[in-house]
Amino acid sequence: MIAVWSNPEFIRNVRAQLRPGRAIATACICALLSIVTGWAFSYNSRLAIGPYGWGFGVFQIAFWLQAIMLAAGGGIACINSIHREKDQNTFDYQRVTRLTPLELTIGKLFGAPVFTYFVFLCLMPLAIFGVIAGKLNPLTVLIAYTVLLVGSLTIHMLSLLISLLTVRGSHTGAILLLLGLLWGTSFGPDTIQFFKVGPLGPFYAAQIAHRAAWDTTVPKERERWGTPAVSVDYDSVFGSSVEHVPVLITLDLLFAGWFLLALVRNIKRDPNYYEIYSPVQALAFALFLNLLFVAFMQWRVATPVDSQAFLLTLNTGVFSCLGLAAIRNRERMRRILRAGEGPATSWLAAMWPAPMIVAGTLAAGLLIVLGVAQGRDARLDWSANLALLRSLFFVAWIARDLQFLQWMALRRGKHPLVMGLIFLTIFYVCMGIVMAPLNIFSNPERLAFSAFFLPSSAVYMLDHSAWFLRPTIWIAAFVAQWVFVGLFIALQRKTVGELHSSAATPAAAPLVANV
C-alpha cells in the first residue's frame, strides 16, 4: 500500500488546495487572528475565567475555531470532493487508475480536507499559548484533541460516503444532513429514557477541553467557579459504569471502520452498480447496531414489554433501510441470473430478500429477548415465550412487507418500487380507518384479529391478558403472515422465471447465428 504522503490523490489535493500564495495568506491571517486574540484577552482582565485567568479563554477560542474548521469544514470539503468531480466528469478517470480502492479512498480521505488540517495547525500556536498561560492540565488537552481528531475522521469518512452516493440535485440536502448529524451527535442529552450514553460527535471534545483537570478531585477554589467535583462522564455498558471517553473513541473508530468498508467496496464501481454492503456485510452491520442497542439499554426504566417494543421499533427502521437497499430491480435481477450458474442462484433469486431479512430479524429479536431477560427487574411479570412470539411476529411482519415490495420491484411499469410503497401505505391507512370504528384496538377480545392485517399490534399489545383471551386467534394470525410471505414468494418466483428466460435468450443468439 502506498504511504499517505506518497499517494497521488493526496498529492493532487495538496497541490490544488495549498498553493504557495494561498497557504501564505492563510498562515498570515491565522497569525494575525492569534495575535489579536491573545492581546485582547491579556489586556482586558474582565475576560479572565475564574482561577484560570485569561489563558483559559484564549484556549477556548482557539479550540472552538479548530473544531469547527476541522469537523464541519472538513466534512463539507469531503462532501464536495466526489460530488464536484462527478459534475465535472473527472471522477471516471480516477476510477480507472492503477490505485487500489483503499489507496484511492485514503488519498481522498486526507486529501479533500487538507486545507482544514492546515488551518488547524496554523491555529495550534494560539491554543498552546492559552494552555501555558492558563496552566491547564496537559492530559485534559491531549484527550480533547484525541476525541476531536477521531470524531472528525469518522465524520470525514461518512461525508465521503455521502458524496459518493449523492445524486444530482441533493448536494445541499447532504450538507444540511451532515450539519444536523454534527449537532445532534455532539450536543445530545447525556441520559435518554432508554439509553445511558453520552454524545458521540466531535464537538463533545469542547466539553472536555473546558474542564480543569482529568481527575476525580478539583481544588476548593475551582469548585466555586462551577467545576464539578467529578469531571468524568460515565456510560452504562451492559449494566456497568464505564468512562465515556474510551466508549466514545471506540464507537467512533468502529463506525469509521464500517464507513471505510462501504467506501472501499464502491469507490471504483460504476454508479449504476453501487451496493453499500454485500448481503452478509449488511446483516453484520444490523446485528452490530443491535448489539449497541442492547449494550446501552436501561432495562429498568420501563416494563419488559415496553423495552422490547422500543428496541423492535428501532429495528423497524434498521431493517426497513436494509431491506429497501437490498431490493433488486428487473435489470439487476437479470444480471444476477445471467451471471449465476446452477439452480441455487434461481432458488435464492426467487426468495430474495427473505433469507437475509428472516435471518437478521430473527437474530436481532433473539438478542433483544436475551437482553430483556438478563436486565429486567425481576419483580415485574415476564414471559419468555410471549417475548419470543412478539419477536417472531416482528420477523413475519418485516418479511411480509419487504417480500411484497421485492415482487413489486420486479414488475413491469414506471417506478414499480415507488408504486409498491404507495400501495403499502394505502393498505395500512385503510386498515387503520376500518378498525378504529370497530373498536378493535380498544376491545381486548377483538385485539387479536388486528394481527391478521397489522402484525405490529402483536409487537406492541400482546401481553398475558391479551394472550389468554384469544390464544388461537393470535396463532392463526401469526401463521397467516407466513402464508402471505409464501404467496409473495410464489408470485416473485413466477416473475423471476420470466426474467430468467429473457436473460438466457441473448446467450443463445450467437449459437444460432453460427449454425
Side-chain angles (χ1 to χ4, degrees):
M1 177 178 170
I2 303 175
V4 175
W5 51 86
S6 302
N7 190 296
E9 179 62 20
F10 175 76
I11 294 174
R12 184 182 70 85
N13 279 278
V14 170
R15 289 175 176 173
Q17 299 184 42
L18 296 180
R19 296 185 298 272
R22 186 184 186 188
I24 293 173
T26 302
C28 291
I29 293 173
C30 291
L32 180 61
L33 179 63
S34 300
I35 293 171
V36 171
T37 303
W39 176 83
F41 274 83
S42 61
Y43 182 78
N44 192 345
S45 60
R46 289 180 299 177
L47 296 177
I49 302 178
Y52 310 107
W54 51 267
F56 191 34
V58 171
F59 175 68
Q60 282 184 311
I61 294 294
F63 190 85
W64 266 110
L65 289 174
Q66 290 177 306
I68 293 173
M69 193 67 194
L70 187 61
I76 293 174
C78 289
I79 283 185
N80 290 333
S81 175
I82 300 178
H83 177 78
R84 184 187 299 115
E85 291 170 355
K86 285 182 177 180
D87 283 346
Q88 297 173 352
N89 295 323
T90 58
F91 185 61
D92 289 337
Y93 295 103
Q94 298 179 21
R95 293 195 301 107
V96 298
T97 60
R98 298 182 62 183
L99 291 174
T100 65
L102 180 59
E103 290 171 345
L104 182 58
T105 300
I106 295 299
K108 288 190 174 296
L109 179 63
F110 293 101
V114 68
F115 181 75
T116 62
Y117 281 106
F118 179 73
V119 175
F120 176 87
L121 293 176
C122 289
L123 293 172
M124 186 59 74
L126 179 63
I128 295 174
F129 176 71
V131 171
I132 296 174
K135 298 180 181 179
L136 304 180
N137 189 339
L139 182 58
T140 306
V141 176
L142 179 61
I143 292 174
Y145 276 110
T146 301
V147 171
L148 175 61
L149 291 173
V150 172
S152 298
L153 183 66
T154 304
I155 289 296
H156 294 172
M157 286 189 184
L158 175 61
S159 301
L160 270 181
L161 181 59
I162 293 174
S163 182
L164 181 68
L165 302 177
T166 298
V167 296
R168 189 182 299 274
S170 60
H171 180 248
T172 303
I175 294 178
L176 293 177
L177 173 64
L178 173 67
L179 296 178
L181 286 174
L182 272 173
W183 183 266
T185 57
S186 299
F187 301 105
D190 291 339
T191 304
I192 308 176
Q193 180 183 3
F194 286 100
F195 293 125
K196 178 63 174 90
V197 59
L200 301 177
F203 289 150
Y204 176 76
Q207 300 182 37
I208 302 173
H210 293 173
R211 292 171 181 159
W214 190 253
D215 55 21
T216 57
T217 60
V218 180
K220 294 294 184 182
E221 65 274 12
R222 295 187 175 182
E223 291 184 1
R224 292 198 299 269
W225 296 94
T227 304
V230 178
S231 59
V232 181
D233 292 333
Y234 287 89
D235 299 329
S236 177
V237 183
F238 293 111
S240 301
S241 293
V242 181
E243 291 184 11
H244 178 57
V245 168
V247 173
L248 183 154
I249 294 175
T250 301
L251 290 181
D252 279 352
L253 290 176
L254 288 173
F255 277 107
W258 282 106
F259 299 149
L260 179 62
L261 175 62
L263 281 167
V264 172
R265 176 177 172 80
N266 294 281
I267 196 167
K268 298 198 75 172
R269 285 188 172 188
D270 186 276
N272 295 323
Y273 302 119
Y274 282 161
E275 187 180 35
I276 300 179
Y277 297 115
S278 69
V280 175
Q281 292 169 349
L283 187 59
F285 183 63
L287 295 180
F288 164 73
L289 292 178
N290 273 276
L291 184 62
L292 295 184
F293 295 157
V294 173
F296 294 108
M297 185 69 183
Q298 297 287 94
W299 300 106
R300 302 198 176 191
V301 301
T303 64
V305 174
D306 290 339
S307 297
Q308 184 186 16
F310 171 73
L311 292 181
L312 290 178
T313 301
L314 293 181
N315 274 282
T316 301
V318 171
F319 283 98
S320 295
C321 295
L322 175 63
L324 289 174
I327 285 178
R328 299 165 176 172
N329 56 26
R330 290 176 64 88
E331 183 58 34
R332 186 178 175 190
M333 185 65 76
R334 279 198 190 98
R335 188 171 64 252
I336 292 173
L337 293 173
R338 192 180 299 120
E341 295 181 0
T345 301
S346 301
W347 174 83
L348 184 61
M351 298 187 66
W352 187 260
M356 180 186 68
I357 294 300
V358 170
T361 51
L362 181 60
L366 293 178
L367 183 63
I368 292 171
V369 171
L370 180 61
V372 175
Q374 296 298 321
R376 68 183 177 86
D377 189 342
R379 296 171 296 179
L380 298 177
D381 291 336
W382 164 256
S383 172
N385 292 331
L386 283 182
L388 183 60
L389 182 58
R390 280 192 293 271
S391 294
L392 292 177
F393 259 105
F394 174 78
V395 174
W397 172 31
I398 300 298
R400 184 197 71 176
D401 287 358
L402 288 176
Q403 206 64 47
F404 166 74
L405 293 176
Q406 175 61 84
W407 169 60
M408 287 295 300
L410 296 178
R411 291 173 59 82
R412 297 180 183 273
K414 190 175 183 180
H415 307 299
L417 181 58
V418 175
M419 295 302 300
L421 289 170
I422 293 175
F423 290 155
L424 198 60
T425 302
I426 294 174
F427 169 77
Y428 280 116
V429 171
C430 291
M431 287 297 103
I433 294 174
V434 170
M435 292 181 183
L438 298 176
N439 297 323
I440 290 181
F441 297 109
S442 59
N443 189 330
E445 293 188 355
R446 300 178 183 178
L447 179 61
F449 293 96
S450 66
F452 282 94
F453 306 99
L454 303 177
S456 56
S457 61
V459 174
Y460 297 105
M461 301 179 185
L462 178 58
D463 54 15
H464 290 85
S465 59
W467 169 257
F468 284 121
L469 284 174
R470 297 284 189 179
T472 305
I473 302 301
W474 286 111
I475 295 298
F478 175 71
V479 173
Q481 305 312 310
W482 292 106
V483 172
F484 284 124
V485 172
L487 173 63
F488 293 135
I489 288 177
L491 294 173
Q492 179 178 327
R493 183 174 181 177
K494 179 180 179 182
T495 307
V496 169
E498 297 173 356
L499 294 175
H500 197 0
S501 301
S502 62
T505 302
L511 179 61
V512 174
N514 291 334
V515 174

